Amino acid sequence: MTQQNNPDVRFLMGNEAIGRGIVEAGCTVAAAYPGTPSSEVLESLVRWKKELNHPIYVEWSVNEKVAFEVAYGASLGGVRAAAAMKMVGLNVASDPFLSAAYLGIRGGLVVVVADDPGPHSSQTEQDSRFFAWFAKVPVLDPGTPAEALEMTLRAFELSEKYQVPVLLRPCLRVCHARQNVSLNTPRPAAYVGPFKKDWTRWAAIPKYRLKLHGELNEKLARIEREEPAASPVLLNEGAGNSIALVTSGSVSSHVRDIVASDERLQGIDVYKVDLPFPANRDALQKIVDEHERTLVVEETYPVLELQIKDRRKVTGRLSGDVPSQGELLPELVEEIVLRVCGKEPVLREAPVVKPRRPSLCPGCPHRPAFYTMRQVFDQAVYTGDIGCYTLGINMGAVDTCLCMGASIGMAGGMSRAPFTEGQTRVVATIGDSTFYHAGVPALVNAVHTRARFVLVIMDNNITAMTGGQPTPAQDFLADGSPGVAVDMERLVRGCGVDFLEIADPYDAEGMKQILEKARSYAFDDDKGVAVVITRRPCVRAPKVELPSDRFEIGEACDLCMSCLRDLECPAFHYVKSEKRMEIDADLCAGCGFCVQVCPSQAIKAKGA
């Protein structure tokens, strides 16, 4: 968070602005699960908490469902609360999220859900505004970091005014963009009084749920009718033109810049909607009726477009003028607007970018674990999971990747399917944070149903892929305050697992022996699930000291390429002009695993 000369203005990333907004709103409890592009919301909250000496409680919850429930419980207790997650995390939290919309809230409750159109680092490019519509939850859609802070404050007010959760939906380009943002003095912690028992409301049986559903519909109707944010706002001068453009959220910044910078587009009226659900449908229809043509540009689904009753003069995603998938980058938005307006497109030559395949870091303990798995299980089917270790696909050690925790559940199903000869084994891999998140129920199920596979839990003691957040195995919380470490071995044993071994992935022979024992237990002896925990800290984790050893390739190298093909270590490089392999000393992490597995034993310590 860069501080400018004016202490009341900061050059903030969108996620930092949201974190600031949560503090300024007098929020008391915030919970989150990390996931790009939302992770910095809670991380910045920790920094604001320390800078302002603010009493807000913050936690990395074990998953998004729990994060929402923690925030919801705080809301019922009378204080303002927030939960933050990426959009697929809302799928995990969907059960309490939908139910809470019926029950309502007490203290203001804001759910920050960051979308990833593209997608850049997600399984889907789902639109959380659409999810909010499905759940009947109002959603605010910021277009800039400054709007993100301002809408965070508005979201708490809206939540308390109508007694409903409010979803704040920043897209990736808002989450990670930076802008000068004006700060406000944080208000004191809001409190609406202690929890009041009323089981017909907070523990409602189906009879009362029907009544609550009716109340929710009335709230949404009032919001649509009475809230200014639900109505489109004209952004540019010169109303009364023949073409209208309706937009929302992050793409609205592209639209505004494109129209303002091209004189040929001065005949367009640009409208922006801050609250895309429930949008004021009469106001939207009035714009359509008053113009010869209306273009709707929004990210990612046609949420505003679907709320227009008569769409005969409307173009957008439903008419096929806006692509049904993919991020709306400025160049694409410009092309769409110009085409719809009957103008010649701007010719641009796209820069040539050489694609680079993502790879595990040099020295990553997952690499030797995958390598040894392939040596022991060969043609097995490998069910993978969400995290850095998804990159095991490069080594042929990940065949599937569905969602958080799915590797274990899918292994249970795969192990019962008829395989072709040579594919009689199933091996599941999952990271430590993902195991805590969603792997435990699946492991209980696998043990209970006598499933037959090997599970490798890759424990690097951190949530590495999203920036190094702590897992429940640590004895401290998000802000460094004391917590209770949850022991992974005890947790696995508690799931009913009898075979459990710990392996060091840097020890090639030791890990091979343990995997062979697991193979015999699960497949030869048919005793059920065998669990192996491979344990080594992430090489990118703070306070991890890497070995100082460096290695070189001797004359014994026969150019078998195993180091590139099987080990896939980025530190190896083939010098084509000299027909030899070399190790980049700057990339090498000194793990020494290559020395142990080089088929020609050509790798040795430098200077030895």
Side-chain angles (χ1 to χ4, degrees):
M1 295 181 281
T2 308
Q3 188 166 358
Q4 305 295 297
N5 293 331
N6 183 347
D8 294 329
V9 177
R10 293 280 186 93
F11 189 55
L12 296 182
M13 192 161 61
N15 283 343
E16 295 169 341
I18 293 170
R20 175 71 188 201
I22 291 171
V23 170
E24 288 186 2
C27 184
T28 296
V29 172
Y33 185 80
T36 306
S38 70
S39 303
E40 298 86 358
V41 172
L42 195 94
E43 290 174 340
S44 67
L45 258 175
V46 172
R47 293 195 291 273
W48 289 121
K49 170 185 171 75
K50 292 179 178 177
E51 178 179 326
L52 300 168
N53 194 26
H54 195 278
I56 186 172
Y57 168 79
V58 293
E59 72 168 43
W60 288 116
S61 302
V62 71
N63 63 31
E64 295 87 349
K65 178 176 182 290
V66 174
F68 179 85
E69 291 162 347
V70 167
Y72 187 65
S75 167
L76 295 197
V79 298
R80 288 187 168 183
M85 60 199 71
K86 67 183 296 182
M87 77 285 195
V88 290
L90 185 57
N91 303 343
V92 179
S94 60
D95 199 358
F97 182 65
L98 267 74
S99 188
Y102 278 45
L103 299 179
I105 56 92
R106 294 189 72 248
L109 176 61
V110 175
V111 187
V112 181
V113 182
D115 281 3
D116 183 19
H120 295 271
S121 58
S122 307
Q123 307 96 297
T124 69
E125 52 177 358
Q126 65 195 65
D127 187 334
S128 296
R129 301 175 310 156
F130 218 63
F131 206 125
W133 188 349
F134 168 60
K136 297 193 171 183
V137 170
V139 54
L140 286 161
D141 195 12
T144 65
E147 280 189 0
L149 191 154
E150 184 267 331
M151 286 191 186
T152 303
L153 299 173
R154 261 200 278 169
F156 279 105
E157 298 295 334
L158 195 66
S159 175
E160 287 184 349
K161 181 177 179 181
Y162 294 95
Q163 297 287 290
V164 290
V166 172
L167 193 148
L168 182 73
R169 192 288 291 248
C171 282
L172 176 141
R173 301 294 173 184
V174 173
C175 294
H176 292 164
R178 284 190 178 274
Q179 181 184 25
N180 280 340
V181 178
S182 297
L183 308 183
N184 309 290
T185 302
R187 57 167 287 179
Y191 184 52
V192 298
F195 177 70
K196 295 178 181 177
K197 294 185 179 185
D198 179 3
W199 69 265
T200 65
R201 172 80 181 272
W202 309 120
I205 59 176
K207 173 185 173 184
Y208 293 104
R209 295 274 174 162
L210 179 63
K211 176 175 176 289
L212 291 169
H213 190 188
E215 292 177 2
L216 176 59
N217 288 333
E218 291 174 4
K219 293 174 185 176
L220 292 174
R222 281 183 55 209
I223 293 171
E224 177 185 346
R225 191 173 58 246
E226 299 174 7
E227 287 301 315
S231 295
V233 174
L234 182 64
L235 296 181
N236 57 344
E237 298 291 336
N241 293 307
S242 61
I243 299 177
L245 201 159
V246 179
T247 186
S248 166
S250 61
V251 75
S252 66
S253 299
H254 305 335
V255 169
R256 183 163 21 194
D257 290 346
I258 290 165
V259 172
S261 61
D262 193 328
E263 292 183 353
R264 297 175 298 167
L265 300 177
Q266 300 311 303
I268 296 179
D269 293 337
V270 180
Y271 295 88
K272 180 172 179 289
V273 183
D274 288 346
L275 187 76
F277 178 80
N280 188 316
R281 288 170 290 180
D282 290 339
L284 284 172
Q285 190 62 55
K286 187 170 184 288
I287 291 172
V288 173
D289 293 342
E290 291 178 345
H291 293 80
E292 294 177 8
R293 197 171 187 186
T294 297
L295 170 65
V296 182
V297 181
E298 55 187 326
E299 197 100 82
T300 304
Y301 293 173
V303 172
L304 286 170
E305 203 173 337
L306 283 168
Q307 293 179 82
I308 298 172
K309 298 171 186 173
D310 182 355
R311 297 192 290 271
R312 285 177 293 179
K313 295 194 295 181
V314 175
T315 55
R317 292 190 187 276
L318 295 176
S319 67
D321 291 274
V322 179
S324 297
Q325 65 285 324
E327 185 180 14
L328 292 177
L329 296 171
E331 298 82 4
L332 179 58
V333 174
E334 183 180 43
E335 180 185 326
I336 294 167
V337 174
L338 289 172
R339 187 176 64 244
V340 170
C341 294
K343 309 296 183 185
E344 288 293 320
V346 178
L347 296 178
R348 290 192 177 88
E349 190 172 339
V352 177
V353 179
K354 186 179 179 181
R356 184 174 66 89
R357 186 174 74 168
S359 177
L360 294 168
C361 300
C364 173
H366 300 337
R367 175 175 289 102
F370 281 129
Y371 179 92
T372 312
M373 283 167 48
R374 286 301 312 273
Q375 301 301 307
V376 173
F377 297 107
D378 194 23
Q379 294 301 311
V381 175
Y382 299 94
T383 58
D385 224 296
I386 305 290
C388 297
Y389 44 91
T390 306
L391 296 174
I393 55 177
N394 296 339
M395 303 175 70
V398 169
D399 294 318
T400 70
C401 181
L402 182 65
C403 66
M404 294 285 281
S407 61
I408 302 175
M410 288 183 65
M414 281 255 187
S415 66
R416 301 179 194 283
F419 288 107
T420 58
E421 188 174 353
Q423 289 184 319
T424 57
R425 301 175 182 128
V426 178
V427 180
T429 53
I430 191 170
D432 49 343
S433 181
T434 312
F435 179 69
Y436 287 114
H437 177 286
V440 174
L443 182 56
V444 170
N445 188 72
V447 171
H448 176 62
T449 58
R450 296 181 55 80
R452 179 173 167 266
F453 61 89
V454 172
L455 169 63
V456 178
I457 302 176
M458 297 180 162
D459 181 7
N460 61 4
N461 202 38
I462 203 167
T463 312
M465 192 176 194
T466 52
Q469 295 80 15
T471 74
Q474 270 80 58
D475 60 358
F476 56 88
L477 304 182
D479 59 356
S481 58
V484 176
V486 177
D487 184 85
M488 181 177 288
E489 288 94 308
R490 290 176 63 187
L491 189 58
V492 171
R493 293 282 187 199
C495 292
V497 171
D498 289 329
F499 183 99
L500 173 61
E501 296 270 356
I502 313 298
D504 178 0
Y506 279 8
D507 177 4
E509 185 57 31
M511 178 161 176
K512 182 181 178 185
Q513 291 178 9
I514 289 175
L515 289 179
E516 288 174 341
K517 285 171 58 179
R519 182 181 63 189
S520 298
Y521 180 91
F523 305 125
D524 301 337
D525 301 336
D526 196 18
K527 290 185 176 179
V529 181
V531 177
V532 176
I533 299 175
T534 61
R535 180 165 288 154
R536 268 274 175 180
C538 173
V539 292
R540 301 291 184 192
K543 301 181 182 177
V544 169
E545 293 188 11
L546 299 178
S548 59
D549 301 333
R550 290 297 178 267
F551 305 94
E552 60 185 358
I553 300 174
E555 295 180 353
C557 177
D558 59 3
L559 297 179
C560 70
M561 303 292 175
S562 177
C563 49
L564 292 179
R565 184 187 62 246
D566 302 325
L567 199 53
E568 206 243 349
C569 180
F572 284 91
H573 173 62
Y574 177 57
V575 184
K576 191 174 181 180
S577 59
E578 302 176 23
K579 295 183 178 179
R580 65 178 180 83
M581 296 296 302
E582 69 175 13
I583 297 175
D584 187 331
D586 292 331
L587 287 179
C588 177
C591 71
F593 188 77
C594 56
V595 178
Q596 302 175 60
V597 298
C598 175
S600 57
Q601 298 182 328
I603 304 172
K604 58 184 180 181
K606 210 164 189 175

